[in-house]
Amino acid sequence: MVRNMLLFAGSSHPQLVEAICNHLGIPPANVELSKFSVGETRVEIGESVRGKDVYIVQTACSRPPSANYKGATTLNDGLMELLITISACKTASAKRVTAVLPLFPYSRQSDLPYNKVGAPLARMPAKTDEKGSGKYTFESRPPTPGGGSRYRDEKLEKQLNGLKLNGDLHLPSRKNTLESNTSDTSPPVANGAPTSSPSPVANHSNTGRESSTAHPPDFKPQRGYKQWVAQAGTLVADLLTCAGTDHVITMDLHDAQYQGFFDIPVDNLYGRHLLRRYITHQILPQHGGVDDCVIVSPDAGGAKRATSIADSLGMEFALIHKERRKKDVPSSAAPESGNSALLLVGNVKGKVCIMVDDLADTSNTITRAAKLLKRTGASKVFALVTHGVLSGDGVERIFHSGLDKVVVTNTVPQDEHVRQMKELAEKWGRPEDENKLEVLEVGGVFAEAIRRVHHGESISTLFQYD
């Protein structure tokens, strides 16, 4: 029993909250979550939080609406519900508010730097006459005169060069300037007719109009340029902080640098120790041990995560690299859909492949990787994923793929995914694939992290494998 602690459950994952409360030996705090008819979120705290240590559990997922459910149904609704609940607890004089986010929202949209060259041209100015002159708009870039520029005024340069003597520029003195202002400024008369002398100002204005007819060169954005990239990482971090969050507990952030967006403590728990324990006790004893198995990273971004598990178990490591080439450029990788191809680095022939990844949304990455591994001689393919979002047709894609088993944690609700897998096995007459999707419990990990944070203890033991 933990004293002076309240655990509030968001509407996204009540099963996980129940598991955490069972480990801590406390009931979930009373809170009423609903929506107005217009769609606004309504949160009402049902008990006193003054001077208490408050923990609010809300994961990033969508939940199908039902007749008996009036809470958040989308990820964005869940985020707004979390922010309002945090603000309500902070306003009610809670001692500390900790947001427990098993799957952090918008964790895949980290900040991307802008290109320093500037925004690309949307279109060139329209031509108004035969010479191609046109007016510049906000969507074009006017020429900037300067040294070495082809828009330089050549006539004006000749006039300025005529004023130079021995490399020095002689300008009229103040006295001469005053005299010229009072003198007759009429042009000289020859044979009764005034003769026009070249005026630098007039020539400059004329040449300016002539130079405006030239079109600027087309702007070609450099490779990697991102137009109008929203800084969702900093935005979500600022929203949580401004709402009153004092501490954040999450698991397996997609981008580790996300922790730097916060001005408050962030505990990023690892799910790899759960996956390693499953490999040690469930896969290796049944498939010949470490000599007949290999750890595989389905993409280059997860190589560090996979190598840490491979090194701790003394297993071999393989990497699948996505190679993007043009259609006319030959590639050594296996061709896939579109212009991308998958390249396998390592030997997997006759071995059991264990893919390790942090997140599976549409399951496209792991299913394509499994197809490549089976084609190159792998006997079996397992996929161990921390966050099994499996949106859209992700479950059906796994069922029809070359994966022998997919193991996910319950950082997001998995009841619906397990039910879909059983229905597909019954529909296609494949009862052996009924348990193709297996779920690992993470409630104990979060419960221990909450207990240690509440008592001011170290959480370093949660990062150990055994």
Side-chain angles (χ1 to χ4, degrees):
M1 183 70 180
V2 183
R3 301 180 60 184
N4 294 328
M5 177 194 294
L6 291 177
L7 185 66
F8 289 96
S11 58
S12 60
H13 202 343
Q15 296 86 357
L16 180 61
V17 175
E18 183 179 357
I20 294 175
C21 290
N22 291 336
H23 282 86
L24 294 175
I26 60 174
N30 185 18
V31 59
E32 183 179 351
L33 306 172
S34 60
K35 278 189 174 183
F36 292 102
S37 58
V38 72
E40 295 179 355
T41 301
R42 177 177 178 271
V43 177
E44 183 178 352
I45 306 298
E47 53 187 283
S48 175
V49 298
R50 183 178 297 273
K52 300 291 183 65
D53 199 1
V54 176
Y55 295 84
I56 305 172
V57 181
Q58 184 83 306
T59 191
C61 68
S62 300
R63 181 174 178 178
S66 61
N68 300 327
Y69 176 69
K70 299 181 180 180
T73 57
T74 64
L75 186 149
N76 293 329
D77 288 342
L79 178 59
M80 182 58 64
E81 181 182 279
L82 172 65
L83 296 174
I84 296 176
T85 307
I86 293 172
S87 178
C89 293
K90 203 66 177 180
T91 306
S93 302
K95 180 181 179 181
R96 181 175 60 179
V97 178
T98 301
V100 182
L101 303 166
L103 174 57
F104 199 93
Y106 292 88
S107 61
R108 287 185 292 177
Q109 298 189 33
S110 58
D111 292 353
L112 297 176
Y114 287 92
N115 194 311
K116 295 182 179 180
V117 176
L121 296 180
R123 64 176 183 271
M124 293 296 295
K127 296 182 179 181
T128 57
D129 54 14
E130 297 180 355
K131 296 182 179 180
S133 62
K135 296 182 180 180
Y136 290 102
T137 63
F138 290 105
E139 298 162 345
S140 62
R141 186 180 64 177
T144 302
S149 174
R150 65 186 181 94
Y151 302 102
R152 186 168 49 193
D153 195 337
E154 297 180 357
K155 293 183 179 180
L156 181 60
E157 284 188 356
K158 291 181 180 180
Q159 295 173 5
L160 292 176
N161 292 333
L163 297 176
K164 291 183 179 180
L165 182 62
N166 296 329
D168 296 331
L169 181 64
H170 292 273
L171 298 177
S173 62
R174 180 177 178 85
K175 180 178 180 182
N176 295 336
T177 304
L178 294 175
E179 292 176 354
S180 63
N181 291 336
T182 57
S183 62
D184 186 12
T185 58
S186 59
V189 179
N191 298 328
T195 59
S196 60
S197 60
S199 173
V201 177
N203 290 337
H204 177 62
S205 61
N206 292 334
T207 55
R209 286 193 297 268
E210 292 176 0
S211 63
S212 64
T213 60
H215 289 280
D218 294 342
F219 179 85
K220 296 182 179 180
Q222 296 182 1
R223 188 175 182 180
Y225 181 84
K226 299 289 184 180
Q227 297 188 44
W228 309 111
V229 178
Q231 297 181 352
T234 305
L235 176 61
V236 174
D238 291 343
L239 287 174
L240 289 171
T241 305
C242 293
T245 308
D246 299 301
H247 192 185
V248 173
I249 300 176
T250 185
M251 176 174 282
D252 275 353
L253 286 171
H254 188 69
D255 292 320
Q257 69 268 21
Y258 216 107
Q259 301 176 69
F261 300 157
F262 288 89
D263 296 329
I264 57 177
V266 178
D267 288 329
N268 181 27
L269 305 178
Y270 293 155
R272 68 185 67 166
H273 73 285
L274 292 174
L275 306 182
R276 180 190 183 275
R277 189 177 303 169
Y278 184 88
I279 295 173
T280 304
H281 298 287
Q282 300 294 332
I283 298 180
L284 295 182
Q286 302 176 9
H287 298 89
V290 296
D291 295 333
D292 296 332
C293 299
V294 57
I295 300 293
V296 181
S297 176
D299 53 21
K304 185 177 181 180
R305 182 185 308 105
T307 52
S308 64
I309 297 179
D311 293 340
S312 63
L313 294 174
M315 299 174 60
E316 295 182 0
F317 170 74
L319 172 67
I320 296 178
H321 173 65
K322 181 181 291 185
E323 193 177 41
R324 297 185 181 274
R325 289 177 177 265
K326 296 181 179 180
K327 294 182 179 180
D328 55 346
V329 178
S331 174
S332 59
E336 292 288 342
S337 60
N339 296 333
S340 63
L342 298 181
L343 177 65
L344 175 63
V345 181
N347 181 23
V348 299
K349 187 174 182 179
K351 295 187 177 182
V352 176
C353 296
I354 306 172
M355 287 191 295
V356 179
D357 206 354
D358 66 323
L359 189 144
D361 188 359
T362 61
S363 307
N364 183 52
T365 300
I366 58 176
T367 53
R368 290 180 61 191
K371 181 180 179 181
L372 175 62
L373 293 173
K374 284 292 184 72
R375 189 166 57 238
T376 52
S379 59
K380 284 189 176 182
V381 179
F382 292 84
L384 278 65
V385 182
T386 303
H387 307 296
V389 179
L390 307 183
S391 61
D393 59 346
V395 177
E396 186 175 0
R397 186 173 294 173
I398 290 175
F399 180 81
H400 294 290
S401 68
L403 291 166
D404 294 280
K405 177 166 282 193
V406 176
V407 181
V408 298
T409 67
N410 65 334
T411 54
V412 296
Q414 300 293 341
D415 295 342
E416 182 66 20
H417 301 154
V418 174
R419 184 188 62 81
Q420 292 180 14
M421 187 65 71
K422 291 182 179 180
E423 290 180 354
L424 289 171
E426 182 179 356
K427 176 182 177 180
W428 292 91
R430 292 160 54 180
E432 66 277 4
D433 292 335
E434 185 176 316
N435 298 321
K436 197 171 187 177
L437 182 64
E438 189 171 346
V439 182
L440 301 180
E441 176 65 49
V442 296
V445 179
F446 281 99
E448 183 63 18
I450 292 173
R451 189 193 68 81
R452 289 178 175 271
V453 170
H454 176 68
H455 292 290
E457 301 176 5
S458 174
I459 64 171
S460 59
T461 56
L462 299 179
F463 300 98
Q464 298 177 3
Y465 290 114
D466 296 326

